[in-house]
Amino acid sequence: MFGQGYVGLPLAMRAVEVGFDVVGFDIDTRRVGRLREGVSDVEDVPDKVVAAALDSGRYTATSAPEACAGFDVAILAVPTPLRDGTPDLSYVLDAARTAGAGLRPGALVVLESTTYPGTTEEVLGPLLSEVSGLTPGIDFHLGYSPERIDPGNERWKLTNTPKVVSGIDPPSLRSVSDFYGALVEETVEVSGTREAELTKLLENTFRHVNIALVNELAMFAHELGIDVWEAIDAASTKPFGYMRFTPGPGVGGHCLPVDPSYLSWRVKRELGYPFRFVELANDVNDHMPDYVVRRLGAALNRQGRAVHGVRVLVVGLAYKRNTGDARETPAVEVCRRLLALGAEVVGADPHVDVARFPVPVKRVELTREEVARADAIVLLVDHDAFDLSLLEDASCVVFDSRHVLAGSLVETL
Ligand SMILES: NC(=O)c1ccc[n+]([C@@H]2O[C@H](COP(=O)([O-])OP(=O)(O)OC[C@H]3O[C@@H](n4cnc5c(N)ncnc54)[C@H](O)[C@@H]3O)[C@@H](O)[C@H]2O)c1
């Protein structure tokens, strides 16, 4: 299992649970060190699960590439970020080189990382072949299966979320489907790896575009004096043909701000024209942190105050509820803009390691005292761990970007 992060670790634990011998290979030696001590970096995987996997004798965490040799199945769950707006496949390529060096006839290699259609066949297969001297489809099986993990989701887990599976040919598909069939309740076979790669990008682009739609609507509605939240609640009563999405301070995480751009990059490169929906959605969603700061500034202005010099308490630094994942979180941009305007910014988030937060924000707890010290408060994420009534009782400006607070001084996105 290449990559023991948000995707790879839950998968590794599940594979151990159903009886596979699993080598969890990760180049992050600190992460591997913690795993060896039974400590998980992933909220959805409790420490005790890692400890049980270690105790079973069927799980080892390692950074030693030679430990990967001779596998039956290799899963690649490594990062696929954007670098200057362009897909960065370097982690996939590195993992593929290591996997290729340990590849033997009859084995199966599956890519789980989110990527543009064509990666498995055009990039991964040839590299594995070059390193191993083996031919995909003849000497080994090759497939793609997108991860649908939703960190913090109690209802839909790895095992009960249908898993899309694909292979470069029917025997590869069979092999991929059999492997995942042992891990999850339902597999969904698609005819080729490109279709599976596109499936993941379609799912994330769909979310991205719909969030942008309600974000843009929220900005219009505010100016028109219409309660967009009431309209969304009412629309959500329609039992067919409508799916609820809610406005927010911007999109974050490893998926939504990144994945749709993989698709637009591919469309632009292959076909020469832009994927307009994605570009528009990026535009709207990227603008939301700025909009939040402007609304907060306007609220302060109505009190005759400037953003400059005020103490702003930012509540929630993660990209969504009940997770400590701060990758691409809109909180970074909100804090950066407030600091640039001369505010003193303090941040409360019990889940996020502020030392790894890329903006210098002083970490505080969400307490009555902190609320009293603030001149303005922005709620970005409504973690269960927060006592939100403290914000409702605040005597300063409170900007609620999640529509979860009541209170006379609360202003909602
Ligand atoms: N996190 C999610 O919710 C989610 C959901 C669906 C899909 N994905 C996709 O899954 C992929 C992995 O995402 P993640 O969230 O698990 O990332 P992550 O950063 O949590 O974990 C990736 C791990 O891979 C390791 N790694 C990097 N290069 C390596 C290499 N050459 N060999 C072995 N390990 C290596 C990193 O050290 C890291 O620990 C990405 O393509 C992402 O888009 C993520």
Side-chain angles (χ1 to χ4, degrees):
M1 199 80 69
F2 291 77
Q4 292 293 273
Y6 282 91
V7 171
L9 187 62
L11 208 58
M13 294 299 106
R14 178 63 183 152
V16 171
E17 195 184 350
V18 301
F20 286 97
D21 287 322
V22 177
V23 175
F25 172 71
D26 201 299
I27 54 166
D28 183 341
T29 49
R30 283 192 17 212
R31 174 163 276 176
V32 165
R34 282 193 294 275
L35 285 170
R36 283 182 169 169
E37 286 165 12
V39 179
S40 160
D41 289 340
V42 177
E43 292 102 354
D44 287 348
V45 178
D47 291 350
K48 63 174 192 293
V49 171
V50 178
L54 292 167
D55 286 347
S56 75
R58 293 196 302 278
Y59 177 66
T60 42
T62 180
S63 293
E66 55 278 11
C68 304
F71 55 82
D72 297 312
V73 181
I75 309 294
L76 273 52
V78 295
T80 43
L82 284 172
R83 191 101 31 222
D84 300 327
T86 303
D88 173 6
L89 291 185
S90 59
Y91 300 96
V92 174
L93 301 181
D94 286 347
R97 281 187 202 97
T98 313
L103 188 58
R104 60 190 168 105
L108 166 67
V109 180
V110 186
L111 180 62
E112 285 239 1
S113 302
T114 307
T115 184
Y116 60 80
T119 307
T120 307
E121 276 195 41
E122 296 163 22
V123 180
L124 181 59
L127 182 56
L128 287 168
S129 184
E130 184 189 317
V131 177
S132 66
L134 301 174
T135 308
I138 294 177
D139 300 314
F140 68 96
H141 299 307
L142 178 62
Y144 180 80
S145 178
E147 186 46 73
R148 282 173 161 167
I149 213 154
D150 182 18
N153 192 325
E154 289 299 321
R155 164 114 172 72
W156 296 107
K157 305 272 187 194
L158 173 64
T159 46
N160 64 354
T161 304
K163 189 120 177 64
V164 172
V165 291
S166 68
I168 56 163
D169 52 18
S172 288
L173 173 59
R174 195 65 283 120
S175 181
V176 180
S177 198
D178 286 349
F179 172 70
Y180 285 104
L183 306 186
V184 303
E185 288 168 15
E186 186 184 344
T187 54
V188 180
E189 297 185 1
V190 292
S191 63
T193 52
R194 278 184 184 74
E195 284 71 18
E197 289 159 336
L198 183 62
T199 302
K200 175 70 188 173
L201 295 180
L202 169 62
E203 289 167 9
N204 284 355
T205 304
F206 173 81
R207 244 185 105 61
H208 189 55
V209 166
N210 278 289
I211 290 171
L213 172 68
V214 287
N215 277 340
E216 189 165 37
L217 214 56
M219 291 187 280
F220 286 155
H222 172 69
E223 287 192 38
L224 293 170
I226 302 169
D227 186 339
V228 72
W229 297 90
E230 200 178 335
I232 290 170
D233 285 345
S236 304
T237 62
K238 188 179 179 192
F240 48 86
Y242 183 80
M243 187 178 284
R244 183 187 173 89
F245 287 89
T246 50
V251 294
H254 189 58
C255 294
L256 293 197
V258 176
D259 301 351
S261 298
Y262 265 70
L263 196 48
S264 54
W265 176 87
R266 180 66 168 175
V267 170
K268 187 84 184 252
R269 205 187 69 160
E270 282 287 291
L271 308 174
Y273 46 80
F275 188 173
R276 288 172 296 165
F277 268 101
V278 170
E279 296 196 349
L280 187 59
N282 280 342
D283 208 37
V284 173
N285 289 335
D286 289 351
H287 172 61
M288 292 313 288
D290 177 48
Y291 179 73
V292 167
V293 171
R294 279 204 291 123
R295 287 279 303 274
L296 186 74
L300 282 165
N301 190 50
R302 283 195 295 279
Q303 294 187 338
R305 307 184 74 176
V307 176
H308 190 94
V310 300
R311 182 179 172 99
V312 183
L313 169 60
V314 177
V315 180
L317 301 172
Y319 86 91
K320 69 174 201 170
R321 301 182 77 218
N322 301 336
T323 173
D325 191 347
R327 290 178 292 182
E328 313 286 335
T329 170
V332 168
E333 206 44 41
V334 169
C335 293
R336 197 171 272 151
R337 284 170 184 272
L338 287 169
L339 288 167
L341 289 170
E344 179 195 355
V345 183
V346 296
D349 195 312
H351 305 299
V352 171
D353 177 3
V354 175
R356 294 169 71 173
F357 195 68
V359 186
V361 169
K362 184 169 170 257
R363 162 89 180 261
V364 295
E365 304 290 319
L366 181 58
T367 59
R368 195 170 294 283
E369 294 68 38
E370 270 308 326
V371 168
R373 286 185 73 194
D375 299 304
I377 298 173
V378 193
L379 175 68
L380 296 181
V381 189
D382 52 327
H383 292 310
D384 286 342
F386 288 140
D387 178 358
L388 296 180
S389 68
L390 294 175
L391 306 183
E392 294 177 334
D393 298 341
S395 54
C396 64
V397 166
V398 179
F399 187 76
D400 172 11
S401 65
R402 298 291 178 181
H403 192 236
V404 289
L405 301 175
S408 58
L409 289 172
V410 173
E411 165 139 358
T412 306
L413 180 74

